[in-house]
Amino acid sequence: MLIRRAADIRPSEITSETLYWNRREWIAAAGAIGVAAMSPTSLSALGAARQQGPVARGTPYGLQPNDKPTPWEDVTNYNNFYEFGTGKDDPAQNAQEFTTRPWTVKVDGFVTKPADYQLEDFLKPHKLEDRIYRHRCVEAWSMVIPWRGFSLSEMLKRAEPTSQAKFVEFTTLLDPRRMPGQRSSVLDWPYIEGLRLDEAMHPLTLMVNGVYGRDLPNQNGAPLRLHVPWKYGFKSIKSIVRIRLVEKEPVNTWKVSQSSEYGFYANVNPEVDHPRWSQATERRIGEFLKRKTLMFNGYADQVASMYTGMDLRKNY
Ligand SMILES: Nc1nc2c(c(=O)[nH]1)N[C@H]1C(S)=C(S)[C@@H](COP(=O)(O)O)O[C@H]1N2
Ligand SMILES: [Mo]
C-alpha cells in the first residue's frame, strides 16, 4: 500500500467517487424496468419499495462494489444506545419520548473561542452534506449508512484549538430522567469518547445530524452524533452535549468498562481479535453470509498514514 500523509490528500480526492452510487442505482433500476420507462418518479418508487423507507442519497465514501445502503428499517431499529437499553431494539422503543429541543452544545477547553451554542447556532455555519459511509460495530456486524452532516474539522477550525490541544473529548447528555438506561450502572455515565486531534481533524470524521436525508431519529443519536468510519462504532458517540479540547488522552467509556477488550484507538483491524471473538469477518445486517473485514474498515488509503510507526496490536 502506498502510504501518504493525511495532509497530502486533498478532500477532492476523497470525494472522487461522487455519483458512483447514483450511477449504479440507475443501471440496476434501468435493468429492472427498462430504460424507456425511467422517470425520476419510477426510480424513487423502485427505491422506496425495496427499502420500505426513504431512499438513500449521497456521495459514497470508501464503498466496495458489493456495498449497498442498509435499509432504513434496519438502520433505525437495530441500534446500540445503552442510554435507552442494551437490547438492539430497545432504543427504537424507549427513545420515542426523548426531547432534543432545546439542546445546547458546549465547546471548551484549549480553544480561543469557547462557547455554549444552541443547536441551531452550532449547525448554522455549516453546509450539510449527505455521505454514505460504512459502519462496523466491534460486535462484528456492519451496515452502510447514508448520514447527513459536515466534517468535524470545519467546526474545530472555527473554535481555534490552541497549541496545547492534543485530543478532543466528547460527552453525551447525562439525564437519567430522560435517558432511562442511565438509571442502571451498565456503563459509567455520561458516555465519553475521544479522538486524537489529527483524527478529529480528518475530513472523513463526520458531525452527524441526519440519516437518509432526514433529521436523526432519537435512537440514532439525535440531535447530534459523530461518525468515524474507520473505527469501531463505539467511537461514534451519540447525543453530544460537549466537545472539549484537551491535552491528555480522554478516558473513554468502553475502555473504562473493559480495558482489555476496548482500547482508545478502536481502529477497525481484522488482524487484532477481540479477546472473545475474531474480528476477521463481519455480518452485514440484512445479509446471510459473512464478509471479510477490511483494514480500517476500507478507509486505509485515507487514514493509515496517521498511524505509521504505531504498534496497532498495542494501540488497539
Ligand atoms: N452515547 C452513546 N453513544 C453510542 C453508543 C451508546 O451506547 N451510547 N453506542 C455506540 C455503538 S457500540 C455503536 S455500534 C453505534 C451505533 O450507532 P447506530 O445505532 O446509529 O448504528 O453508536 C455508538 N455510540
Ligand atoms: Mo458498536
Side-chain angles (χ1 to χ4, degrees):
M1 192 196 340
L2 183 73
I3 296 191
R4 287 181 295 168
R5 291 173 347 105
D8 297 337
I9 302 173
R10 287 169 290 121
S12 62
E13 277 185 71
I14 293 169
T15 59
S16 65
E17 294 170 288
T18 308
L19 297 183
Y20 163 85
W21 173 256
N22 297 343
R23 193 165 60 240
R24 193 154 51 99
E25 275 289 83
W26 177 268
I27 291 163
I33 63 174
V35 177
M38 292 301 286
S39 68
T41 341
S42 59
L43 231 189
S44 57
L46 201 79
R50 195 174 49 234
Q51 306 203 11
Q52 301 180 306
V55 179
R57 60 174 192 214
T59 307
Y61 281 74
L63 297 196
Q64 303 296 314
N66 58 351
D67 280 335
K68 58 180 188 335
T70 300
W72 160 264
E73 278 293 303
D74 294 323
V75 171
T76 58
N77 285 287
Y78 191 91
N79 303 104
N80 272 338
F81 198 175
Y82 278 25
E83 284 83 344
F84 293 100
T86 55
K88 299 292 179 241
D89 51 3
D90 287 344
Q93 299 260 322
N94 301 336
Q96 288 315 312
E97 307 296 307
F98 183 55
T99 49
T100 57
R101 300 291 187 285
W103 191 270
T104 51
V105 185
K106 180 186 274 301
V107 178
D108 66 342
F110 293 115
V111 287
T112 56
K113 294 182 175 161
D116 287 298
Y117 291 100
Q118 285 301 317
L119 179 69
E120 291 67 26
D121 297 328
F122 181 84
L123 297 174
K124 206 181 286 164
H126 303 286
K127 195 176 160 291
L128 298 173
E129 293 171 48
D130 294 295
R131 298 188 183 185
I132 308 177
Y133 276 1
R134 297 156 63 89
H135 165 99
R136 169 62 158 80
C137 178
V138 76
E139 298 162 333
W141 51 266
S142 63
M143 298 195 194
V144 174
I145 305 185
W147 297 120
R148 188 185 71 199
F150 54 87
S151 288
L152 175 68
S153 65
E154 311 279 324
M155 181 255 122
L156 291 176
K157 280 178 209 156
R158 282 176 181 273
E160 297 177 5
T162 68
S163 59
Q164 267 163 296
K166 300 285 188 288
F167 294 88
V168 186
E169 180 192 81
F170 305 87
T171 309
T172 294
L173 176 70
L174 176 64
D175 190 344
R177 278 172 307 140
R178 290 158 69 198
M179 295 180 138
Q182 290 179 340
R183 294 172 214 157
S184 110
S185 52
V186 58
L187 289 177
D188 258 5
W189 310 111
Y191 194 104
I192 289 179
E193 258 308 336
L195 295 170
R196 219 169 52 192
L197 189 58
D198 60 334
E199 299 177 321
M201 293 295 287
H202 192 283
L204 282 171
T205 301
L206 199 64
M207 199 81 250
V208 172
N209 85 326
V211 66
Y212 266 96
R214 301 179 174 186
D215 285 350
L216 277 177
N218 291 339
Q219 60 267 36
N220 291 95
L224 196 67
R225 56 91 55 85
L226 204 63
H227 189 75
V228 193
W230 69 96
K231 291 179 182 281
Y232 292 121
F234 68 83
K235 297 299 278 188
S236 295
I237 182 171
K238 296 175 165 179
S239 302
I240 296 168
V241 293
R242 187 176 186 190
I243 300 172
R244 187 161 71 113
L245 282 283
V246 296
E247 201 166 15
K248 295 207 179 76
E249 186 177 291
V251 181
N252 53 316
T253 297
W254 280 102
K255 187 172 167 178
V256 170
S257 140
Q258 290 283 10
S259 62
S260 59
E261 303 192 355
Y262 310 107
F264 175 79
Y265 283 94
N267 288 318
V268 176
N269 188 341
E271 290 164 18
V272 178
D273 287 343
H274 183 277
R276 292 183 279 136
W277 58 82
S278 163
Q279 292 291 27
T281 60
E282 66 198 52
R283 190 172 68 86
R284 177 64 48 83
I285 298 303
E287 292 180 0
F288 179 67
L289 292 176
K290 288 200 171 169
R291 297 168 171 244
K292 276 198 168 136
T293 287
L294 301 177
M295 189 65 197
F296 295 111
N297 199 27
Y299 298 92
D301 287 350
Q302 289 93 329
V303 305
S305 60
M306 289 193 289
Y307 308 101
T308 42
M310 281 176 75
D311 180 349
L312 296 182
R313 290 186 172 273
K314 255 169 125 182
N315 297 287
Y316 57 86

